[in-house]
Amino acid sequence: MVEKKLERCQKDAEEVTQIMLDNYSKVLDREVKLSDLDNRADELRVMSSTFSKTTKVVAQKQRWANRKWKLILAGVAGVAVLVIVLVLAVMLAPGGAGTQAAESRAAAATTPSPEHEKA
């Protein structure tokens, strides 16, 4: 009877030892997986930092390009307005080309032509 109890205790001890070895093996596997996960997290952190810097540079370039096109558009619009104002000023100014043409047309309409005098 004592021998059976001793055998049972040894068997239980072996089972506990096997369970502990399995647990230790699982802990080592988890440690490897956690180490791998930590390495991947570090890589992602570095990649996100690089991405953030790149997006800032690209955003800055796009803002400059947008400003450049706005300045070009404003310059073209300014030149167009200036041309229109100059044309209107020349045409509406007294003694300007527009008034001279209108006066010569009016004078031609009121002055009899030489062909009408012959008749």
Side-chain angles (χ1 to χ4, degrees), residues 1-13:
M1 181 153 176
V2 173
E3 289 181 17
K4 285 186 178 182
K5 284 185 179 182
L6 184 61
E7 265 182 49
R8 197 179 74 198
C9 283
Q10 277 185 330
K11 188 176 178 184
D12 287 345

Side-chain angles (χ1 to χ4, degrees), residues 46-119:
V46 168
M47 289 171 55
S48 71
S49 175
T50 303
F51 179 76
S52 178
K53 289 176 185 176
T54 303
T55 56
K56 286 178 185 178
V57 168
V58 169
Q60 216 171 22
K61 285 181 181 179
Q62 287 300 318
R63 277 193 298 272
W64 172 246
N66 287 341
R67 279 191 198 130
K68 184 173 80 171
W69 283 110
K70 284 179 183 179
L71 288 173
I72 289 172
L73 183 61
V76 168
V79 168
V81 167
L82 183 63
V83 166
I84 290 171
V85 167
L86 288 175
V87 167
L88 288 176
V90 167
M91 293 190 77
L92 297 178
T99 15
Q100 287 178 354
E103 289 173 1
S104 63
R105 274 188 255 132
T110 56
T111 310
S113 68
E115 294 174 3
H116 287 20
E117 290 177 9
K118 289 181 186 176

